[in-house]
Amino acid sequence: MAADGYRVVLSAGELDSTLTGRVILLVDRQDGAPLSPKDGPWRVFVPGDRRPARWVRQVVLLRVVSAAP
């Protein structure tokens, strides 16, 4: 979740690079420098998405949940 409440959902299959051939990143740096306050402290980066709708700036919370009962 972002500082402003923005949220995205990613499935386990999307996070498994052996299934998709890509890696979804949680980053704290860009070009070797810490992210700016408007983008950091953490950012979700989804390479290959045509639009950055699932790229989250100012990440303050990650939650991993199981859909199994």
Side-chain angles (χ1 to χ4, degrees):
M1 178 169 59
D4 65 358
Y6 188 78
R7 299 174 185 204
V8 298
V9 175
L10 298 165
S11 70
E14 291 177 289
L15 298 172
D16 185 344
S17 62
T18 64
L19 296 175
T20 65
R22 68 177 174 181
V23 176
I24 296 173
L25 304 169
L26 177 65
V27 300
D28 67 343
R29 299 185 165 288
Q30 182 175 355
D31 298 326
L35 292 173
S36 69
K38 78 172 192 139
D39 289 326
W42 297 94
R43 186 171 190 178
V44 173
F45 179 73
V46 186
D49 276 4
R50 291 180 186 218
R51 297 180 63 182
R54 298 188 304 167
W55 299 16
V56 183
R57 298 184 291 180
Q58 297 179 324
V59 173
V60 294
L61 176 70
L62 289 177
R63 184 175 297 156
V64 179
V65 297
S66 172

